Amino acid sequence: MTSIDAQTLGSRIRDARKRADLSQEELGQSVGLDRTAINKIENGMRKVTALELSDIGAALGVRMFTFFEEPGPALVEHRSNQGLDTADSQIDALLARFADDVEFVASLGVDALWRDAADAVSQAGVTRPSTNAEAEALAAKARELMGLSPEEPLLQLSESVGKIGLLAFSRDIGKDTADAGTILLRRGAVCLVNSHMKVGRRRLALAHELGHYLISDAYTVDWRVADHSDQAVPMESRIDRFARALLLPEAAVAQHWQEQVERCGERDSAITLASKFRVDMATLASRLKELSLADSETVAAVRNYRTTRSDLIEMNLYVPLEELAGTTVPRLFALAVLRLVRDERISRERALELLQDTFEEADLPSIRRRRPDEIWNFVS
């Protein structure tokens, strides 16, 4: 934790208050201070006690220590470009929190975060795709970086992206906000996927964020992934193409579709293909269209197909646990936190906070009982 002056502290409090969409008067009412006192604190003209700062942090939904930490370069750049009236202050605040959490865990030297893999990505020479062919090539490159064969289904997407430095969190932030967002860290990146969406769209959104990460977009917030037109937002369309190509590799889709349609018809073929590669029908329909594997009438039909319970039983389809459902933290991040608990480097309370209530106290590893003679390690 760094030492800062009153003016810097006040400025960070003001930024956090605006992100929380509170007036000085509203914040003052929450913490038992009048508006003038809040104004003086934000301008560095009045000292704030530790108890007051704790109350202010609680009222603004941020942890007190974050007022003393230097924000990441991408976050600073984003906010300076956007002002504080960001497109989506909720996702902005959550991304800032996750970035702080990951940087905190990384600062303790735990190696479970795979940050070396992030270095491999930065050295891979990835360039921004300007054509669909380049987007397809980038998807193939991403699979190679994640250690996947060119044609196998990408089943545990959130875990795979973690192994190349993108740590994916999820949170239900409602239907009227962004699909996902990403922020680059000093090494690697964190992203947030809105778990209010269904699993197919969540996976597509995460694949889309992986595209932003690979081409080093410092900060992105994406709405309605895959709804872009080529004319309106070319780069977003290229990244949409990348995301579909990542989840549905061309050779595998073409082979499956051509073999299965003749054998069992379009509907059953679409259902088994979507289930095998864990995508929704809208994504599959778009992929069939862009690969010229189906005419417009078939594409429209595929888009409207629904997988029923009867299909699951009669086609013997495997139904996995849904990825990124509700509040989740990336497995690699959880692994790092648990290691810190086991090594007694962070408190159990801090671990539960970092794990965002996805663990209960009884789920944490037990602390090793010490032998009586080990007391000499502390006093000798």
Side-chain angles (χ1 to χ4, degrees):
M1 186 176 294
T2 57
S3 175
I4 60 174
D5 58 31
Q7 198 161 20
T8 301
L9 176 60
S11 174
R12 291 177 183 173
I13 291 172
R14 180 174 59 249
D15 290 351
R17 175 180 61 76
K18 290 188 175 182
R19 287 197 300 277
D21 197 24
L22 291 178
S23 67
Q24 289 181 336
E25 186 170 1
E26 289 170 329
L27 175 59
Q29 290 173 349
S30 297
V31 299
L33 296 172
D34 59 34
R35 190 198 63 79
T36 304
I38 296 295
N39 185 57
K40 288 182 178 179
I41 288 171
E42 291 185 353
N43 286 293
M45 299 167 60
R46 176 190 182 282
K47 289 186 178 180
V48 57
T49 69
L51 286 176
E52 288 173 341
L53 191 58
S54 176
D55 290 343
I56 289 172
L60 298 178
V62 300
R63 289 190 292 278
M64 189 168 67
F65 82 91
T66 61
F67 292 126
F68 298 92
E69 296 289 341
E70 192 67 34
L75 194 59
V76 171
E77 180 185 2
H78 164 71
R79 288 176 178 162
S80 62
N81 288 340
Q82 298 285 323
L84 289 171
D85 297 326
T86 55
D88 188 327
S89 59
Q90 184 181 13
I91 202 167
D92 177 81
L94 286 170
L95 280 171
R97 174 186 171 185
F98 301 155
D100 288 339
D101 288 348
V102 171
E103 293 287 19
F104 167 72
V105 171
S107 72
L108 298 177
V110 63
D111 60 1
L113 291 175
W114 286 64
R115 289 162 70 95
D116 289 345
D119 294 342
V121 170
S122 64
Q123 296 164 8
V126 172
T127 57
R128 302 172 77 84
S130 57
T131 65
N132 285 336
E134 291 177 1
E136 296 274 346
L138 179 58
K141 181 70 175 178
R143 283 180 158 266
E144 179 184 334
L145 288 168
M146 291 189 285
L148 299 165
S149 72
E151 300 180 4
E152 70 179 290
L154 214 176
L155 302 182
Q156 294 297 323
L157 177 60
S158 53
E159 186 159 340
S160 294
V161 300
K163 292 180 178 177
I164 56 173
L166 176 61
L167 296 174
F169 295 76
S170 71
R171 181 75 65 87
D172 186 343
I173 52 176
K175 67 177 182 179
D176 296 323
T177 187
D179 286 359
T182 296
I183 181 172
L184 291 188
L185 304 180
R186 293 172 180 85
R187 296 174 74 193
V190 297
C191 76
L192 168 65
V193 175
N194 184 358
S195 58
H196 189 82
M197 303 179 293
K198 292 184 177 179
V199 61
R201 187 165 157 183
R202 297 198 298 264
R203 281 171 51 85
L204 183 66
L206 177 54
H208 184 99
E209 296 310 305
L210 176 63
H212 281 299
Y213 165 58
L214 292 175
I215 63 174
S216 301
D217 283 337
Y219 190 105
T220 61
V221 174
D222 288 302
W223 294 66
R224 291 176 290 280
V225 168
D227 278 356
H228 313 107
S229 69
D230 283 354
Q231 291 74 27
V233 194
M235 182 49 64
E236 288 301 308
S237 293
R238 297 292 91 77
I239 296 178
D240 286 345
R241 179 69 177 251
F242 158 83
R244 289 190 292 269
L246 181 78
L247 297 174
L248 290 165
E250 178 176 0
V253 173
Q255 181 180 2
H256 177 104
W257 188 255
Q258 289 163 354
E259 291 177 355
Q260 295 294 315
V261 167
E262 289 186 7
R263 191 170 65 84
C264 58
E266 290 174 350
R267 182 179 182 277
D268 286 4
S269 182
I271 288 172
T272 54
L273 187 57
S275 174
K276 181 177 180 180
F277 288 89
R278 298 183 188 173
V279 297
D280 58 19
M281 288 299 175
T283 302
L284 175 59
S286 296
R287 190 64 173 150
L288 293 174
K289 178 183 178 182
E290 65 196 13
L291 295 178
S292 300
L293 292 173
D295 57 29
S296 57
E297 184 178 349
T298 301
V299 168
V302 169
R303 197 176 294 277
N304 290 316
Y305 288 151
R306 295 290 178 268
T307 303
T308 65
R309 292 190 64 184
S310 298
D311 294 326
L312 298 178
I313 295 172
E314 292 173 348
M315 297 184 190
N316 193 29
L317 301 178
Y318 173 60
V319 182
L321 292 175
E322 288 197 350
E323 275 193 286
L324 303 166
T327 296
T328 65
V329 298
R331 179 178 174 276
L332 295 175
F333 179 75
L335 186 63
V337 171
L338 295 176
R339 186 162 299 171
L340 291 172
V341 173
R342 199 178 292 281
D343 293 344
E344 300 180 58
R345 300 186 64 192
I346 62 174
S347 69
R348 300 171 77 81
E349 291 76 13
R350 183 74 170 105
L352 293 173
E353 187 179 35
L354 290 167
L355 295 169
Q356 301 181 26
D357 297 325
T358 59
F359 279 60
E360 296 181 357
E361 208 281 342
D363 295 325
L364 297 179
S366 301
I367 302 300
R368 180 175 62 87
R369 291 176 65 89
R370 299 188 184 282
R371 301 187 310 274
D373 63 299
E374 287 185 280
I375 186 65
W376 297 106
N377 292 333
F378 297 96
V379 300
S380 62

